[in-house]
Amino acid sequence: MKRVLVTGGTGYIGSHTVVELLHAGFEVAIVDNLSNSNQDVLQGIAEITGQTVPFEQVDCTDKEAMDAVFGKYPDIVAVIHFAASKAVGESVANPLLYYRNNIGSLITLLELMREHKVPNIVFSSSCTVYGQPDANHLPVDETAPIQPALSPYGNTKQINEEIIRDTAHSDANLHAILLRYFNPIGAHPSAKIGELPNGVPQNLVPFITQTAAGIRKELSVFGNDYNTPDGSCIRDYINVVDLAKAHVVAVNRMLEKKASEQVEVFNLGTGRGLSVLELLNTFIRVTGVDVPYKIVGRREGDIEQVWANPQRANTVLGWKATATVEDTLLSAWHWQEHLAHKK
Ligand code: UD1
């Protein structure tokens, strides 16, 4: 039996990845402290897959409790480490929380992986490590320079990548795949799992869907004076199920010992940049639901434009983002409607 330990498995990307791992025939164990997710997600996963996933409510920085999890599941062959705090603004206000949580949890995991002889880790990284790539590095590939982080959150991603590299350098048994996500959006097509932000959403798509549902009065578009065709920022929005599938490919690659280096890095994006206004207008067009919005000033720390060159993931992993942005936005809307019905 091959079991994958998924930290942060009740979270947004984690839950979609658990579903894809189960579809691919893996056993899974979820670890999550529920700091930014809800146990109801387990029900959604069970409804989609017909399987009940073992769940451990444990904080990944708690070494004793994590040691017990590794002891309880001796068949773990790989770890996918999603568990992390991810709000950029909050990380500026409370950096120590971010350094303790995001860095402490990775160190704990790597120590326990060595002790329990689990040699494979997939790490959730971010395109934030590239900062604002200069024009000759757009679309951005994995060889683009890493730039000084703009937030403690971004810094934890950079530091964690380095911690993994240094640990692998010291231990020939450890293999890692670092996945640098662009902007994950959308929900499972069943609308049984999706993104569930706590409080006022910071990210664009949950704010759009909540405004469309009447929960928020209007969307603020942060800036229309950027050096882009319509003046709003450009991002590479990737479907969360496509993103989840890349994790299954990465785990299989390590288990089949196909990796060409001990630590491999892949960009996960579509290769297509869309502006905030393009995304908003696409949402309105495909759902037929109006979204009131106003243009406001720029948001501090925002990058003007970044989108992926996903060639390496396409050719080396044999993985490609396939969902259209139209279908992805519809899935986000169906999830929002599902949430409304639950209330
Ligand atoms: C940010 C981080 C990314 C992180 C992600 C997780 C940076 C540079 N990016 O992505 O690393 O993984 O958060 O949460 O640190 N927008 C609006 N109105 C809104 C919300 C957003 O106009 O109400 C705009 C933003 O200005 C931006 C785009 O929408 O241009 C996307 O924003 P968002 O969804 O917050 O993601 P990023 O900032 O790209």
Side-chain angles (χ1 to χ4, degrees):
M1 213 159 50
K2 290 195 170 107
R3 188 181 301 276
V4 180
L5 180 69
V6 181
T7 76
T10 52
Y12 174 43
I13 308 173
S15 58
H16 290 80
T17 300
V18 168
V19 166
E20 296 309 317
L21 286 166
L22 295 173
H23 282 333
F26 283 101
E27 303 283 328
V28 171
I30 295 178
V31 167
D32 205 302
N33 65 0
L34 300 180
S35 62
N36 194 26
S37 61
N38 190 303
Q39 217 163 328
D40 293 351
V41 170
L42 299 169
Q43 179 64 29
I45 294 172
E47 284 174 21
I48 296 168
T49 64
Q51 295 184 55
T52 307
V53 183
F55 168 65
E56 307 293 338
Q57 186 176 346
V58 164
D59 188 305
C60 291
T61 60
D62 181 343
K63 190 163 181 190
E64 215 174 300
M66 285 299 288
D67 189 35
V69 170
F70 276 90
K72 184 169 171 185
Y73 303 99
D75 52 353
I76 294 171
V77 292
V79 176
I80 307 182
H81 184 40
F82 292 105
S85 305
K86 63 154 196 171
V88 174
E90 184 188 47
S91 80
V92 175
N94 197 347
L96 294 179
L97 173 79
Y98 275 66
Y99 287 117
R100 177 179 290 281
N101 194 22
N102 293 6
I103 294 174
S105 62
L106 177 70
I107 294 172
T108 305
L109 256 183
L110 290 171
E111 286 173 348
L112 290 170
M113 286 172 64
R114 190 178 51 203
E115 286 166 29
H116 291 269
K117 301 197 166 34
V118 176
N120 303 306
I121 183 166
V122 178
F123 175 66
S124 296
S125 191
S126 166
C127 69
T128 193
V129 302
Y130 301 118
Q132 174 61 65
D134 53 34
N136 60 346
H137 280 112
L138 270 175
V140 70
D141 70 22
E142 295 82 353
T143 64
I146 302 295
Q147 308 225 38
L150 289 173
S151 70
Y153 158 78
N155 207 17
T156 67
K157 292 296 176 193
Q158 296 193 4
I159 293 169
N160 277 351
E161 286 199 2
E162 287 174 13
I163 289 174
I164 290 173
R165 284 184 196 287
D166 290 344
T167 311
H169 186 70
S170 74
D171 175 1
N173 291 318
L174 181 68
H175 282 80
I177 294 186
L178 316 178
L179 299 178
R180 292 179 180 156
Y181 312 149
F182 284 68
N183 288 56
I185 62 165
H188 194 268
S190 66
K192 291 184 188 299
I193 55 171
E195 190 170 7
L196 239 191
N198 276 343
V200 182
Q202 306 294 311
N203 294 113
L204 179 60
V205 168
F207 207 106
I208 290 178
T209 60
Q210 289 195 7
T211 308
I215 301 167
R216 310 280 157 208
K217 194 167 125 271
E218 61 187 355
L219 169 77
S220 295
V221 172
F222 298 136
N224 69 346
D225 57 351
Y226 285 101
N227 185 21
T228 60
D230 67 21
S232 63
C233 292
I234 292 176
R235 297 286 184 275
D236 186 333
Y237 295 95
I238 173 165
N239 179 283
V240 69
V241 176
D242 277 340
L243 187 74
K245 287 178 177 162
H247 296 74
V248 179
V249 177
V251 168
N252 277 325
R253 181 173 172 81
M254 289 193 291
L255 295 181
E256 290 163 12
K257 305 212 178 305
K258 283 191 187 151
S260 55
E261 293 162 276
Q262 232 185 309
V263 180
E264 292 187 313
V265 188
F266 296 99
N267 281 348
L268 297 182
T270 67
R272 181 178 176 208
L274 279 181
S275 75
V276 174
L277 292 171
E278 281 174 319
L279 194 82
L280 175 63
N281 287 322
T282 307
F283 180 89
I284 294 169
R285 176 168 55 79
V286 297
T287 61
V289 182
D290 193 30
V291 180
Y293 72 93
K294 63 171 181 223
I295 308 284
V296 300
R298 296 179 176 196
R299 180 170 73 175
E300 198 190 326
D302 262 342
I303 282 163
E304 179 174 275
Q305 45 187 321
V306 63
W307 69 99
N309 176 344
Q311 202 59 44
R312 189 155 192 265
N314 296 165
T315 53
V316 179
L317 291 181
W319 166 91
K320 202 171 188 323
T322 56
T324 64
V325 72
E326 285 84 1
D327 285 345
T328 304
L329 288 170
L330 269 176
S331 73
W333 178 234
H334 292 149
W335 165 244
Q336 183 70 53
E337 290 182 310
H338 167 87
L339 288 175
H341 290 138
K342 268 181 37 177
K343 280 187 185 149

